Amino acid sequence: MYRRPWVWIGPVLWALAGSPSCTKSDSAPAKDEGGSKASLEADDGTPAAAAEATPALPEAQGVLDRATEAMGGKAAIARVQSFHYRGTIDMVGHNIHGDLEIWWEAGDFYMEQKVPGIGTMRAGKRGDEIWAEDPIHGRRRLFGVEAEQHAWASSVLLAAEWKRYFERAQTVAERTVDGKRIYDVRLESGSGLEVVMSFDAESGLQVGQGFEQVTPMGKQPFEVRFEDYRDVDGIKLAYRQVIDAKIQQVVQEITEVEINPAIDESRFAMPRGEGVDVVVAPDAPPEDAPENGAEPGPS
């Protein structure tokens, strides 16, 4: 039976989050780890004409600030208190199609993917509780880095509020893709999670995002391309996203968007009951627990 990978990239799929990157060009210039100088000097202090330095990469914060303005600016983003969108899912090469629907309000969200022949996949966040449910792993509350990943993915615009989720930002590359200059900015959290965000150097818009999604089956690498930007109430929104999960490519397209609709907050909470057992992450065993399931010996 065909088993689709659990593709949940959180509200980065909304493209308001833009949230390894696009395919890298072999012509991308190499960069020195320690940076570069405008010129090199000989021992007598005169410039060495034959030595041409590589231009320094722009500061990460500047690239992220420009992306924020390109998406509509902080004021426009701040006006988004809630939103709802519908979209379609196409699993390339498998003739498998489905529907996607997302509700978001003030950092909480509920997402639902329905794919005939595979099932329904859901995920949500309400306050500090983050959960997911799919046909393979059932319903479970998320903890640790898996929950952390869903939390940053719920950002309306990660470029503008990256410091809420990450500790460091660094521009790591300048490269050329289809004739366009691209800047790659790597975000790093204290737990070791990384996200590489890719931006068009001319427009400032985010064109890609790459990371390793943490799942019960291990880490799954994802590359996402953002395409077909359109203006929605003063905000640039990528209506098409191409997700490369290495073993599967998924195309998601937005068909309907509502900005600041009234939303029933109860849908964000992790469902209880409904005749389905809730899968709970196991607690760590006590230090004196017997190993390998053996019965404890006499005291």
Side-chain angles (χ1 to χ4, degrees):
M1 181 181 72
Y2 171 74
R3 277 197 158 186
R4 164 188 186 272
W6 169 228
V7 178
W8 161 250
I9 316 181
V12 68
L13 297 180
W14 312 334
L16 291 176
S19 143
S21 39
C22 305
T23 304
K24 296 190 176 181
S25 167
D26 291 337
S27 62
K31 305 293 180 183
D32 289 333
E33 291 296 328
S36 58
K37 295 182 179 180
S39 64
L40 298 178
E41 296 181 347
D43 292 341
D44 61 359
T46 59
E52 184 134 356
T54 302
L57 293 172
E59 290 292 331
Q61 188 61 64
V63 175
L64 296 168
D65 287 344
R66 188 176 180 202
T68 300
E69 291 305 311
M71 295 290 291
K74 290 184 178 181
I77 297 298
R79 290 196 294 270
V80 180
Q81 300 299 309
S82 66
F83 69 82
H84 167 236
Y85 95 54
R86 291 187 175 91
T88 60
I89 305 167
D90 180 18
M91 298 182 190
V92 179
H94 292 281
N95 195 30
I96 297 176
H97 311 280
D99 297 305
L100 168 70
E101 196 163 5
I102 292 178
W103 293 262
W104 178 93
E105 184 174 50
D108 291 337
F109 65 85
Y110 172 71
M111 183 279 289
E112 187 172 84
Q113 293 180 354
K114 294 182 178 180
V115 183
I118 295 178
T120 298
M121 289 144 284
R122 305 189 291 173
K125 174 183 178 295
R126 187 173 188 179
D128 294 332
E129 184 176 71
I130 302 175
W131 60 276
E133 180 179 43
D134 68 86
I136 298 175
H137 304 109
R139 186 187 306 161
R140 60 202 179 87
R141 182 175 177 181
L142 306 183
F143 297 91
V145 292
E146 195 174 6
E148 178 187 341
Q149 196 163 59
H150 278 66
W152 67 252
S154 68
S155 167
V156 174
L157 182 59
L158 188 58
E161 55 178 10
W162 67 272
K163 291 182 180 179
R164 178 178 297 181
Y165 310 99
F166 296 90
E167 294 185 357
R168 294 172 296 279
Q170 180 183 9
T171 306
V172 294
E174 176 186 333
R175 54 197 173 86
T176 302
V177 178
D178 296 331
K180 295 183 177 181
R181 284 192 304 127
I182 304 296
Y183 293 133
D184 291 331
V185 175
R186 183 175 63 220
L187 305 180
E188 300 175 73
S189 74
S191 67
L193 287 181
E194 294 185 358
V195 181
V196 176
M197 305 175 71
S198 301
F199 303 92
D200 186 307
E202 182 176 350
S203 70
L205 290 173
Q206 185 174 4
V207 296
Q209 184 154 293
F211 57 96
E212 289 188 322
Q213 179 174 335
V214 180
T215 76
M217 297 182 291
K219 293 182 178 180
Q220 175 73 36
F222 281 93
E223 297 178 355
V224 186
R225 295 199 310 273
F226 301 113
E227 303 173 351
D228 189 16
Y229 274 96
R230 305 181 195 178
D231 189 278
V232 180
D233 290 351
I235 299 171
K236 293 290 186 181
L237 182 67
Y239 268 60
R240 175 183 169 90
Q241 298 176 44
V242 181
I243 304 147
D244 187 352
K246 302 304 180 185
I247 60 175
Q248 175 64 59
Q249 188 176 81
V250 180
V251 176
Q252 299 195 6
E253 297 194 68
I254 295 174
T255 58
E256 180 183 342
V257 180
E258 294 179 275
I259 301 294
N260 293 329
I263 293 180
D264 179 3
E265 297 180 5
S266 65
R267 71 170 65 247
F268 301 142
M270 181 173 175
R272 313 286 179 180
E274 295 184 359
V276 180
D277 292 336
V278 175
V279 180
V280 179
D283 295 326
E287 294 182 357
D288 59 350
E291 297 182 357
N292 302 322
E295 292 295 326
S299 56

